[in-house]
Amino acid sequence: MKFDKEIRNYIYGELVPPISGNYIDNYNPALGTVYSQIPDSDEKDVHRAVKAASRALPAWSRCGVNKRFRILTRIADIIEQNLDEFAKAEAIDTGKPFSVAKAIDITRAHSNIRFFATSILHFASESHHMESEAINYTLRRPIGVVGCISPWNLPLYLFTWKIAPALATGNCVVAKPSEMTPMTAYLLSKACIEAGLPPGVLNIVHGLGHKAGQAIVEHVGTKAISFTGGTETGKKIALTAATSFKKLSLELGGKNPNIIFGDCDFEKMMETTVKSSFNNQGQICLCGSRIFVERHLYEVFKTEFVERVRKLKIGDPFNAKTKQGAVVSKAHMDKVLSYVELAKSEGGTVLNGGEPARLRGKFKEGYFLKPTIIEGLPYDCRTNQEEIFGPVVTIMPFDTEEEVLLYANSTSFGLSATVWTENISRAQRMADQLDAGIVWINTWMTRDLRTPFGGMKNSGLGREGGLEALRFFTEPKNVCIKF
Ligand code: NAD
């Protein structure tokens, strides 16, 4: 598999240029240079894709689960067989370490497809028996043509997380990856062609959010939208979709608490906390960016945490020792740095980082940031309330469960939370009271694909994963038979 300089849309089984002939630059964030071109698609390309999907729908929705299982499994196999090429493309496009792209992003991408390919074989619908009167059963039919829109932080991982259940349940899809990280979605279109996915079943339109993305949400032909991205974009999508009553799944931003009690397993907590703070340069919606530490452990925690974070190797994404690659773009780097300035103005002290990492040689124009730890901020200041989505964490002491619950639940977000304690009763009390769609006790990012995934409050609407996704992408119809 080779990387083309010019990415193309994937419509009705073919790789095609955008109708306008316009392209946008695609950057390699580790080098700070343009390395390929992305179609600057507009509503005309989206219309073409929706037409293609509508044409493919009757056959795909009725072809039976075994055929869908076989083709999806073939796509998963092709990704797995080309793991290195996909991971290389992901690392170049995002700036993340190749080791992370390989072990996390691409491995999860083919697992997503395989998971939903097999789930559909076991997907059962409900029946309700009314004693000696009637029986009800529920048919679950595909919705039709659906739109899937994903962000840049875990590109193929999140793209496949939506597309796979949509296709497995018999829908045809018009999908758009982030304009900042389009390359693995493009490689996926090649894998679909190789696997023999019928033309039009999946269509991938590249381009900008307000243009191509907005056109997918606005199009009368898309009956549901599954979106992952920022909360503000989610609001816009919800407003646009409201007038046509499209079914919506929104996975949005987070500002997740990492709560550390004094009775935790210190070593396990410390090792995981370094990861939950800075994996993927802190650009994971589930990263624990607000760290609350029980007061009597605070100083010990702080000293050890700063020491370990200082040792994280920053630089070449293809060096096996690298732990911190580049952030995704210059604009994002500037946004993250502006939050460090805000934190200082709010009274915070930077214990580590807080500035770009100046690398030499070919990486000198790359977007590298030092992992940043800030202390001394109140829980309700802007730095502790707004999503930064970069390698920045704050640390704060607390005294009681009630106090830390107040701090943890104080934001408008509610995606995930992590709690470190060996006291199972306390763990359960916290899990019960935290405003979060996912609570991890003594772990982070341990994911079973069958579980409901998503956030409460401004972190989202609905859940993905397992049955939740299969249900989202199907329309239930109750049939009642009177005896
Ligand atoms: P973003 O909202 O800017 O963009 C996400 C996608 O939406 C992109 O493909 C973009 O082109 C598209 N888009 C933008 N405007 C649009 C519009 N008006 N209509 C339709 N589509 C539009 O987000 P981002 O910067 O790419 O990603 C970072 C955000 O994603 C963070 O807030 C992060 O927390 C969130 N995120 C959430 C989850 C989750 O599961 N909850 C997972 C990963 C990332």
Side-chain angles (χ1 to χ4, degrees), residues 139-170:
L139 291 174
R140 285 197 168 265
R141 293 277 178 240
I143 298 175
V145 176
V146 299
C148 296
I149 302 174
S150 59
W152 49 259
N153 64 319
L154 298 165
L156 195 64
Y157 174 133
L158 291 173
F159 202 55
T160 50
W161 183 233
K162 301 183 171 306
I163 290 170
L167 295 178
T169 43

Side-chain angles (χ1 to χ4, degrees), residues 149-153 158 176-179 207-210 213-214 217 227-230 233 236-237 251-254 285 387 389 415 453 459:
I149 302 174
S150 59
W152 49 259
N153 64 319
L158 291 173
K176 194 193 87 61
S178 168
E179 60 274 30
L208 301 169
H210 67 267
Q214 181 76 18
V217 182
F227 169 79
T228 300
T233 315
K236 255 186 231 155
I237 289 177
E251 299 298 337
L252 310 175
C285 55
E387 186 184 41
F389 209 55
L415 189 52
F453 177 89
S459 289

Side-chain angles (χ1 to χ4, degrees), residues 76-107:
D77 288 344
I78 292 168
I79 297 174
E80 192 171 13
Q81 283 151 13
N82 294 282
L83 184 63
D84 278 4
E85 285 93 327
F86 271 87
K88 189 174 167 199
E90 206 71 293
I92 293 172
D93 229 16
T94 58
K96 70 178 72 194
F98 172 74
S99 58
V100 172
K102 188 170 171 175
I104 298 176
D105 293 77
I106 308 303
T107 296

Side-chain angles (χ1 to χ4, degrees), residues 283-296:
Q283 302 167 132
I284 301 180
C285 55
L286 305 163
C287 277
S289 54
R290 295 178 296 148
I291 305 176
F292 301 107
V293 188
E294 201 169 359
R295 194 174 302 276
H296 65 89

Side-chain angles (χ1 to χ4, degrees), residues 339-349 374-378 380-386 394:
Y339 270 101
V340 176
E341 290 313 307
L342 174 70
K344 287 185 201 158
S345 74
E346 289 180 319
T349 304
I374 303 170
E375 75 164 349
L377 288 168
D380 55 354
C381 67
R382 277 186 57 204
T383 309
N384 272 328
Q385 294 290 314
E386 297 175 16
T394 60

